[in-house]
Amino acid sequence: MPTISKRGEQVPPSPIRKLVPFAEAAKKRGTKVYHLNIGQPDIETPKPMLDAVRQSNFKILEYSHSAGNESYRRKLVEYYARFDISLTHEQIIVTTGGSEAIIFAFMACLDPGDEIIVPEPFYANYNGFATEAEVKVKTITSSIESGFALPAMADFEKAITSKTKAILICNPNNPTGYLYSKEELEVLKQLCLKHDLFLFSDEAYREFCYTGKHFSAMNLDGLENNVIIMDTISKRYSACGARIGAFVTKNQEALTAAMKLAQARLSPPSFAQIAAEAAVDLPLDYFDGIKAEYQSRRDILVAMLNEIPGVFCPNPGGAFYAMAKLPIDDSDKFCQWILESFEFEGQTVMMAPGTGFYATPGLGKDEVRLAYVLNQADIRHAIVCLAEALKVYPGKTSK
Amino acid sequence: MPTISKRGEQVPPSPIRKLVPFAEAAKKRGTKVYHLNIGQPDIETPKPMLDAVRQSNFKILEYSHSAGNESYRRKLVEYYARFDISLTHEQIIVTTGGSEAIIFAFMACLDPGDEIIVPEPFYANYNGFATEAEVKVKTITSSIESGFALPAMADFEKAITSKTKAILICNPNNPTGYLYSKEELEVLKQLCLKHDLFLFSDEAYREFCYTGKHFSAMNLDGLENNVIIMDTISKRYSACGARIGAFVTKNQEALTAAMKLAQARLSPPSFAQIAAEAAVDLPLDYFDGIKAEYQSRRDILVAMLNEIPGVFCPNPGGAFYAMAKLPIDDSDKFCQWILESFEFEGQTVMMAPGTGFYATPGLGKDEVRLAYVLNQADIRHAIVCLAEALKVYPGKTSK
C-alpha cells in the first residue's frame, strides 16, 4: 500500500470541528446544543443576493473569467472605494472563499521553508494552508490581559530571521475580536518596510467594528507593494456557503503569480458570483442593523461572562468572536465534557477550545472562543449553561 | 519591495488562455472567432439542475459539510454504482471543481521533490498544481501515430525512480481524446503494485466514450488502496461554472489527509451542490443524446481534418478533444497568426497550441488541440477556415 505524504499527515485537523461527534451525540440524547463554536451566523443572507441567483436566466453554467466576472470586479472597485481604498478591477482576483485568497498569497509569495509571523491566538486554518505551502508559522503571543493588542515591536524584531517573508494579521481579529488601531498598523508598516516583508491582512470582518473604526492595511501610505488583502463575503453578508472571496494587491508580481494560480483552477463559482455582485448594490445602511445586532449580542455575552466567578473576557472591538479565560484545567477537556457529561435544563453549549488558536504549547488551556452568532435569547441561555457548568466541572481550578 | 516566491514565478501561465488577447483583438476588428481552444461546451446545462437552484428556498447560505452535503454524497454513491463502482458516501469528498480534487491528491500523497509520472501530451494545468505542491512531473511520450495509446510498460519502468510516488492518467484523455482500454489499465495496475505507487485517475469525461466502453481505475481488483479518482461535473453536465468535483478513494489514509485539507478550506460551494445533486436524478438516457451529438461532431471534425493535405488526426475514442498534426513550423506561432493575421469570409478559429500539452521541449510544435464543443455547422465553418489558413500560412512546411 502506498504511503501518503508527510505533508498530508502533518496537516492539522480542524480544532473547531473535532468536537462535532460529541455535539451530535448530545443532540441524539435530546439535549439542545447552542453553537458558539463556529462563525456561522444565524443572520439571514440578504434576500436581493439570493433573488439574483434565483431570478438568473442563463442556459449554460459556464466558466467565468479566472479572475472572476469583470462586472463583479468592477463592482468591487466601488465597494472598496467606500473605505477610501482605491483600486482598479485588475488589482482584484475573485477567489473561492477567503480560504483560496490565503492559499494564493502563501503560494505566490512564500517558498517552502520560508517563515511567516502571526500574532497568536490566530485563525487555526492558517496552519493548514501553511502546511500545504510548506511554510513555517512563527507566532508572537498577544495576551488576554491586554485584550489581545498587537504585541510589542520588539517581539516582532526578535522573531524576524533571514527566512521571514511576511507578517499575517486578521483585522478585526478572529478569534479574539481585537480591532487593530491605525497606530498598530503603522508599527507593522515600519517592520515591513525595514525588513522588506509582505503584510497579509485578512479583513473578513471589516464591517463589524463596534469600538473604533476599521483602518485597512491597504490604506498604509508607502506600503502599497507589500500589502495583500485576503477578503471574503462569507461573514459580511452571512453568505458562508457562497465561497466567494478576493485576493487584492497593488503588487504587480504577486498579482501575476496569483493570476496563474487562478487560471490553473479555472474559475471561482459562477452562481455565487451573481449573489456577490448583487451584494454590492445593497442599501448602504444594510450594515447598520446587522452591526447593531452583533453589538448587542457582544454586550450581553461579555457582560454575562464577566459576571461568572473566575471568568475574564476582554471586550472585543470587532468581528463576532470573544476569547474568555475560564477557571478550568484544560479547554479541550472542558469543551468535550460540557457536551458529553453536562446539561442544564436539557441544554448545553459548544465552544472552541482556546488551545486550537495557539501554536505555543500550553497556551489557551484556560481559554475558549465564543462566536456570538446566535440571537440574544440563545446567547443568554448558552451563557447560563456555561455558568452552571463551571459550578460542577470536575477540572475546575481554584482561581 | 518584497520579492514573490520562486514557486509563484515558476507556475506556468495557462497555454490555452495566453492567446485570449489576440482573439479579443480579432473580435474587435469584427472577425468571428470559432472557439475550439477550450473545453467550454455549448450544450445547455440540464434545466432540472438550474431549476433546483432557482427554486431553492433557504434563507441562509450556510457552509456545507466540509466533505460536501451528505445528501449529495449519498446520491453520488448511486451515481458510481451505475458504473459498478461500489463506494460509501464516506469515501467521497466533494471538491471545488475537479481542480481541487487534483490539488488534494497531490498535497495528500506527494511531498516536495516527489515525482509523478504522466503520459504526455497531458492536461496542462497539472503543471500548475505540481508547482504549487513542489512535485516533479516526469513525462513519458505517447505518439500521435499510435493515436496516443498508453506508452509501453518499459517506458514507465525507465522513468520510475525511488522518488516516484504516483502515475497520473486522464481517461478518456484531455487533450488527445484517447480512451484507455482495460488491458492498458491492467498494465498500470501491475506497475503500481510492483512499485507501490498511487494511480491518480482523472475521469472527468467518463460518459463521453464513442469507441469502446469506459473502464474505471476504481474497478481494478486489488488496486483499491492505490487508486484516487479525480472527478468533476463540469463537462458531464455542461456545468463548468458550478465548480463541483469529487475526490474519491478507498485509501483511508489518503481520505483522512484530504479531509483535513477540505476542513481547512471549510466547504465546497453551496448553490452548486444543489445543482449537482439534481444532476444525479436526471433520466438515465440523458447522456444518450449528448453523446450522439458529440460523436457526430467528432466524426465531422476528424473526417474534415484528415481531408486537408498534410493533416493527420487520429480518431479519438472519447472526451471531446482531438489532437491534429498540421504541416506547420510552430503551433504557438500558427495559433497566434490565424487570430492576428488571417480571416476567411470574416471568420477565423482559435485552437490550443500542442506545445502547451508536452513537457518535453520541441514536442507538439506541429500539433494543435481542437475541442469539439461547438455545433456541427460551426465546426464545419471552423475547419474550412483552418484549411484555408493552411494554404497561405507563411510557416507552412512542405510535408
Side-chain angles (χ1 to χ4, degrees):
Chain A
M1 186 166 124
T3 53
I4 64 164
S5 61
K6 288 189 202 78
R7 166 164 51 201
E9 277 169 22
Q10 285 162 359
V11 174
S14 164
I16 302 172
R17 299 200 172 204
K18 71 185 173 185
L19 293 170
V20 169
F22 300 103
E24 283 171 356
K27 286 176 199 171
K28 272 196 188 141
R29 289 193 307 273
T31 306
K32 178 167 176 59
V33 177
Y34 292 106
H35 283 274
L36 299 185
N37 58 303
I38 192 168
Q40 170 59 62
D42 68 342
I43 305 278
E44 288 185 8
T45 311
K47 197 164 172 293
M49 291 175 65
L50 301 176
D51 284 349
V53 174
R54 289 170 182 155
Q55 290 159 12
S56 64
N57 61 4
F58 59 83
K59 297 199 163 166
I60 307 179
L61 185 58
E62 292 182 333
Y63 289 123
S64 73
H65 191 293
S66 293
N69 292 329
E70 188 176 322
S71 56
Y72 175 43
R73 283 181 287 142
R74 288 186 181 277
K75 278 276 171 208
L76 281 175
V77 170
E78 280 178 43
Y79 165 80
Y80 285 109
R82 293 174 197 156
F83 301 89
D84 297 320
I85 299 171
S86 166
L87 295 167
T88 70
H89 73 280
E90 288 171 325
Q91 292 167 331
I92 301 168
I93 297 175
V94 178
T95 55
T96 304
S99 307
E100 194 180 53
I102 299 166
I103 294 176
F104 281 2
F106 279 33
M107 292 285 176
C109 301
L110 308 174
D111 278 310
D114 282 350
E115 295 173 358
I116 181 166
I117 296 179
V118 189
E120 67 179 351
F122 64 96
Y123 177 58
N125 285 325
Y126 296 150
N127 279 322
F129 304 130
T131 307
E132 285 185 63
E134 302 270 336
V135 162
K136 191 174 172 196
V137 172
K138 283 186 82 170
T139 54
I140 46 178
T141 307
S142 66
S143 74
I144 194 165
E145 287 75 20
S146 74
F148 301 106
L150 194 74
M153 191 158 177
D155 293 351
F156 281 92
E157 291 280 10
K158 258 183 263 170
I160 291 171
T161 74
S162 61
K163 292 190 170 176
T164 307
K165 287 290 298 287
I167 295 172
L168 167 56
I169 58 161
C170 179
N171 185 28
N173 193 270
N174 173 8
T176 67
Y178 187 77
L179 177 64
Y180 294 106
S181 67
K182 187 178 173 192
E183 291 66 35
E184 287 172 314
L185 280 155
E186 291 287 345
V187 168
L188 293 172
K189 172 178 153 179
Q190 296 313 320
L191 284 163
C192 289
L193 288 177
K194 180 175 170 191
H195 298 282
D196 212 17
L197 308 177
F198 282 103
L199 179 58
F200 296 162
S201 186
D202 180 341
E203 301 187 357
Y205 302 90
R206 184 181 294 117
E207 276 79 0
F208 304 134
C209 300
Y210 320 111
T211 313
K213 205 174 156 250
H214 186 257
F215 184 84
S216 171
M218 201 53 101
N219 286 330
L220 286 166
D221 283 339
L223 204 67
E224 291 76 8
N225 274 317
N226 303 61
V227 172
I228 292 175
I229 301 285
M230 300 145 157
D231 216 337
T232 170
I233 69 162
S234 291
K235 315 295 174 165
R236 190 162 296 152
Y237 306 110
S238 207
C240 299
R243 312 315 298 131
I244 293 292
F247 172 98
V248 181
T249 187
K250 297 186 180 188
N251 181 307
Q252 187 55 50
E253 288 182 7
L255 207 51
T256 301
M259 192 59 211
K260 290 186 293 181
L261 296 169
Q263 286 182 343
R265 62 69 161 128
L266 305 170
S267 69
S270 292
F271 276 123
Q273 284 186 74
I274 298 171
E277 190 169 329
V280 185
D281 284 331
L282 288 169
L284 290 178
D285 62 0
Y286 165 74
F287 289 107
D288 295 349
I290 307 293
K291 247 177 73 172
E293 172 61 24
Y294 279 128
Q295 185 160 352
S296 302
R297 293 174 179 190
R298 177 197 69 159
D299 293 345
I300 293 166
L301 179 90
V302 173
M304 287 183 74
L305 283 169
N306 283 317
E307 277 167 21
I308 304 172
V311 172
F312 170 59
C313 179
N315 197 27
F320 42 60
Y321 305 99
M323 288 285 279
K325 192 169 181 167
L326 308 183
I328 54 172
D329 57 343
D330 184 325
S331 53
D332 287 275
K333 279 191 206 159
F334 177 68
C335 291
Q336 182 177 332
W337 172 86
I338 199 171
L339 290 168
E340 212 177 10
S341 309
F342 175 83
E343 61 161 62
F344 175 70
E345 297 180 348
Q347 304 177 342
T348 192
V349 56
M350 189 168 179
M351 295 161 291
T355 51
F357 303 100
Y358 288 88
T360 305
L363 292 186
K365 285 190 89 164
D366 59 353
E367 294 174 14
V368 294
R369 187 194 71 171
L370 305 111
Y372 42 100
V373 291
L374 303 185
N375 66 53
Q376 299 175 28
D378 284 354
I379 286 180
R380 285 179 202 278
H381 289 307
I383 304 305
V384 168
C385 274
L386 173 60
E388 293 297 324
L390 285 170
K391 289 180 189 166
V392 297
Y393 175 56
K396 193 179 172 183
T397 55
S398 53
K399 279 185 283 187
Chain B
M1 187 166 125
T3 53
I4 63 164
S5 61
K6 289 188 202 76
R7 165 165 51 201
E9 278 169 21
Q10 285 162 2
V11 174
S14 164
I16 302 172
R17 299 199 174 203
K18 70 184 172 184
L19 293 169
V20 169
F22 300 102
E24 283 170 357
K27 285 176 199 170
K28 273 197 187 140
R29 289 194 306 272
T31 306
K32 179 168 175 58
V33 177
Y34 292 107
H35 283 274
L36 300 184
N37 60 302
I38 193 167
Q40 170 59 62
D42 68 342
I43 305 278
E44 288 185 8
T45 311
K47 198 165 171 294
M49 291 175 65
L50 300 176
D51 284 350
V53 173
R54 288 170 182 156
Q55 290 160 12
S56 64
N57 61 4
F58 58 83
K59 297 200 163 166
I60 307 179
L61 186 59
E62 292 183 332
Y63 289 123
S64 73
H65 191 293
S66 293
N69 292 329
E70 188 175 322
S71 57
Y72 176 43
R73 283 180 289 141
R74 288 186 182 276
K75 277 277 171 204
L76 281 176
V77 170
E78 281 178 43
Y79 165 81
Y80 286 110
R82 293 173 198 158
F83 300 89
D84 297 319
I85 299 171
S86 166
L87 295 168
T88 70
H89 74 280
E90 288 171 324
Q91 292 166 331
I92 300 169
I93 297 175
V94 178
T95 55
T96 304
S99 307
E100 194 180 52
I102 299 167
I103 294 176
F104 282 1
F106 279 33
M107 292 285 176
C109 301
L110 308 174
D111 278 311
D114 283 350
E115 295 174 357
I116 181 165
I117 296 179
V118 189
E120 67 179 352
F122 65 95
Y123 178 56
N125 285 326
Y126 295 150
N127 279 321
F129 304 130
T131 307
E132 284 185 65
E134 301 269 337
V135 161
K136 189 172 175 198
V137 172
K138 282 185 82 169
T139 55
I140 46 178
T141 307
S142 66
S143 73
I144 195 166
E145 287 74 21
S146 74
F148 300 106
L150 193 74
M153 191 158 178
D155 293 351
F156 280 92
E157 291 280 9
K158 257 183 264 169
I160 292 170
T161 74
S162 61
K163 292 189 169 178
T164 308
K165 286 290 298 287
I167 296 172
L168 167 56
I169 58 160
C170 179
N171 184 29
N173 193 270
N174 173 7
T176 67
Y178 187 78
L179 177 64
Y180 294 107
S181 66
K182 186 177 175 192
E183 291 66 34
E184 286 171 314
L185 280 155
E186 291 288 345
V187 167
L188 293 172
K189 171 178 156 180
Q190 295 313 318
L191 284 164
C192 289
L193 288 178
K194 181 176 171 193
H195 299 281
D196 212 18
L197 307 179
F198 282 103
L199 178 58
F200 295 163
S201 186
D202 179 342
E203 301 186 358
Y205 302 90
R206 184 180 295 116
E207 275 81 0
F208 304 133
C209 299
Y210 319 112
T211 313
K213 204 172 156 255
H214 186 258
F215 184 84
S216 171
M218 201 52 101
N219 286 330
L220 286 165
D221 283 341
L223 204 65
E224 290 77 7
N225 274 317
N226 303 62
V227 173
I228 293 176
I229 301 284
M230 301 145 157
D231 216 338
T232 171
I233 69 162
S234 291
K235 315 295 175 165
R236 189 164 297 151
Y237 305 110
S238 207
C240 299
R243 312 313 299 133
I244 293 292
F247 172 98
V248 182
T249 188
K250 297 187 178 187
N251 182 308
Q252 187 55 50
E253 288 183 8
L255 207 51
T256 301
M259 193 58 210
K260 290 186 293 180
L261 297 168
Q263 286 182 345
R265 63 64 162 131
L266 305 171
S267 69
S270 291
F271 277 124
Q273 285 187 72
I274 298 170
E277 188 168 332
V280 185
D281 285 330
L282 287 169
L284 290 179
D285 62 0
Y286 165 74
F287 288 107
D288 296 349
I290 308 291
K291 247 177 73 173
E293 172 61 22
Y294 279 128
Q295 185 161 351
S296 302
R297 293 174 180 191
R298 177 196 69 161
D299 293 345
I300 293 165
L301 179 91
V302 173
M304 286 183 73
L305 282 169
N306 283 316
E307 277 168 21
I308 303 172
V311 173
F312 170 60
C313 180
N315 198 25
F320 42 60
Y321 304 100
M323 288 286 280
K325 190 170 183 168
L326 308 183
I328 54 172
D329 57 343
D330 184 326
S331 53
D332 287 275
K333 280 190 206 162
F334 177 69
C335 290
Q336 183 176 330
W337 172 87
I338 199 171
L339 290 168
E340 212 177 11
S341 310
F342 175 83
E343 60 161 61
F344 176 71
E345 297 179 349
Q347 304 178 341
T348 192
V349 56
M350 189 169 179
M351 296 163 291
T355 51
F357 302 101
Y358 288 87
T360 306
L363 292 185
K365 286 190 89 165
D366 59 354
E367 294 174 14
V368 294
R369 187 193 72 171
L370 305 109
Y372 42 99
V373 291
L374 303 185
N375 67 52
Q376 299 175 29
D378 283 354
I379 285 180
R380 286 180 201 279
H381 289 305
I383 304 306
V384 167
C385 274
L386 174 59
E388 293 297 322
L390 286 171
K391 288 180 190 168
V392 296
Y393 175 56
K396 193 180 173 181
T397 55
S398 54
K399 279 185 285 186

